[in-house]
Amino acid sequence: MIKIYVPLDSAAVALGADEVAEAILAEAQKRDASVQMVRNGSRGMHWLEPLVEVEQGGKRIGFANVDESDVSSLFEADFLTKADHQSCIGEVDAHSFLAKQERLTFARCGIIDPLDLDAYAAQGGLAGLKRAIELSREEIVGEVMLSGLRGRGGAGFPAGIKWKTVSEAEADQKYIVCNADEGDSGTFADRMIMEGDPFCLIEGMAIAGLGVGATKGYIYLRSEYPVALKVLNQAIEIARENNLLGENVLGSNHAFDLEVFVGAGAYICGEETSLLESLEGKRGQVRAKPPLPALEGLFGKPTLVHNVISLCSVPIILAKGGQFYADYGMGKSKGTLAFQLAGNIAHGGLVEKAFGLSLRTLIEDFGGGTRSGRPFRAVQIGGPLGAYLPEDLLDLPMDYETLAEHGAGVGHGGLVVFDDQVNLREQAHYAFEFCAEESCGKCTPCRVGAVRGTEVMERIAKGEDWAQNMVLLDDLCELMVDGSLCAMGGMTPIPVMSAKKHFPDDFEPDHAVRAAE
């Protein structure tokens, strides 16, 4: 029986993968061909989706951009045993986009059936959890500290310090909360791994529970991810049936269980304290710190809050040791990161590489330049509140400290590319509009500052009192940075000021008036 792989990933499904899978099965039945359909996750080569793979002689041969109408021609070309069809890209693992990556966290994504626990274990899954069971809490936390893992959600805070704080806190109940409210523009790594390798997240959360003494976990999932919701719930049931979750995790006498909580679409709930408020059934508003969630988090109990990729990095750290992971990367930026290429880019997708490669390598070598074919002009790193960087900064290495020196941040690893037709004043205006729309409203600098920011940008666009409004823009941004309660208001000035710094011509009155017209 020949295995055929068709992704169930949301990106592939949006492009017709479900219909392609049904058409292949129907055509196979018509031709009396013996096939086994596997709905895998995505390989992360989104510009090739739907990417159909056929197992031939121990290799996976890929057929790109397959449409439902292409299926009959695939069978006519005998794609089950040959690689002669015009859509064939050869052996998928040998594709240059994948061959140059260092996939630690995403090692299984797109390779296996996401709900096949045996396949997960055969590909190295559960090794980290089994080792963690043999270690003490202090030893588990020690491995995370040694790895140098930092939060992959955007802040880059050392994970080991969080783990140590929660582990040492005294309480009758502790929680693990996974922040899966992936709302940044140009990001999809969380979704990809939840849909393509959900047991990795479950294993990472179970290890975290053992490490800090928590017995209950929650995955706070954004409502816009229905495929991830379905896959996660199925995976959790399978995990319970196989004692990966429950009162006695893999016979360890340690209890840990988890469930999925679906958010209501508020961007601010990506901020950890707003997320906790929402999880408690309240309005998603930022909490003042202290107290820190590590000491008084969910329901007032010590809570380890981590992003999806942070938790999915934990199994390999425990399986192969903290030093193995720390050997990747540079400086204080250890391990790998799933960089996500989006926007006006030829080869949109996911690239997992060790920290230290350049923006140019990501955008030109992996991304293939702009999709439009026009000259590159800017890239925004780290979501809608990230900095815009020009072409002359593309040789910067991707690590936390270097980018911070240039007023930027790694964020969640998302890169949104723009060609020479973009107007950066308009992008700066959008940053204020976005903040005004998504602010929780708790603090004045963010709630009111974002509205005043849109007004200032509109006057600049019209050339009204241009010099005075440019000064006012600086003052307003300084106020929002210094006075906002959380990063929502505090980071909104980053795209504004970076656009103003690196693309001043777009803010000039004549140019601005022309753009407004």
Side-chain angles (χ1 to χ4, degrees), residues 131-155:
R131 179 167 179 251
I133 288 170
E134 299 173 354
L135 301 177
S136 66
R137 276 167 54 177
E138 293 75 17
E139 289 172 324
I140 294 172
V141 173
E143 291 288 3
V144 177
M145 293 279 280
L146 180 61
S147 74
L149 177 67
R150 294 167 70 167
R152 299 297 192 240

Side-chain angles (χ1 to χ4, degrees), residues 299-374:
F299 305 119
K301 302 296 184 180
T303 304
L304 180 67
V305 184
H306 264 320
N307 157 266
V308 172
I309 303 301
S310 304
L311 288 163
C312 287
S313 300
V314 169
I316 195 166
I317 290 172
L318 267 294
K320 297 195 174 183
Q323 189 58 53
F324 169 85
Y325 193 79
D327 287 340
Y328 289 83
M330 62 175 285
K332 295 180 181 179
S333 301
K334 304 292 188 182
T336 61
L337 182 63
F339 298 101
Q340 298 128 88
L341 309 181
N344 192 337
I345 193 159
H347 299 158
L350 182 136
V351 178
E352 184 178 356
K353 286 285 285 183
F355 285 98
L357 80 168
S358 70
L359 280 166
R360 190 179 303 279
T361 297
L362 284 166
I363 294 169
E364 296 180 1
D365 294 355
F366 284 99
T370 63
R371 183 176 178 85
S372 64
R374 298 183 64 87

Side-chain angles (χ1 to χ4, degrees), residues 115-184:
L115 297 174
D116 187 338
L117 187 57
D118 291 334
Y120 176 75
Q123 291 279 348
L126 302 183
L129 179 57
K130 289 176 180 177
R131 179 167 179 251
I133 288 170
E134 299 173 354
L135 301 177
S136 66
R137 276 167 54 177
E138 293 75 17
E139 289 172 324
I140 294 172
V141 173
E143 291 288 3
V144 177
M145 293 279 280
L146 180 61
S147 74
L149 177 67
R150 294 167 70 167
R152 299 297 192 240
F157 189 79
I161 294 177
K162 270 191 179 183
W163 286 51
K164 189 172 188 292
T165 303
V166 179
S167 180
E168 292 178 351
E170 297 291 336
D172 59 349
Q173 177 68 59
K174 299 179 185 180
Y175 296 101
I176 308 295
V177 172
C178 173
N179 183 347
D181 193 56
E182 186 178 45
D184 283 350

Side-chain angles (χ1 to χ4, degrees), residues 2 5 40 43 83 87 130 145 206 216 218 247 252 290 300 343 347 393 411 424 432 459-460 468 488 510:
I2 298 173
Y5 297 81
N40 57 320
R43 296 276 197 148
S87 66
K130 289 176 180 177
M145 293 279 280
K216 181 69 177 179
Y218 293 94
E247 294 298 319
S252 65
H347 299 158
L393 292 180
L424 273 299
F432 282 125
R459 291 196 294 270
I460 289 173
Q468 295 93 322
M488 181 76 217
D510 290 343

Side-chain angles (χ1 to χ4, degrees), residues 4 57 61 67 76 107 154 189 242 313 315 334 396 398 461 465 471 474 487:
I4 302 176
I61 305 302
D67 185 77
E76 289 296 330
N242 289 273
S313 300
K334 304 292 188 182
L396 289 176
M398 288 292 287
D465 299 323
V471 173
D474 290 341

Side-chain angles (χ1 to χ4, degrees), residues 9-27:
D9 180 271
S10 292
V13 169
L15 292 167
D18 286 347
E19 291 77 10
V20 169
E22 291 174 7
I24 289 174
L25 289 175
E27 192 71 19

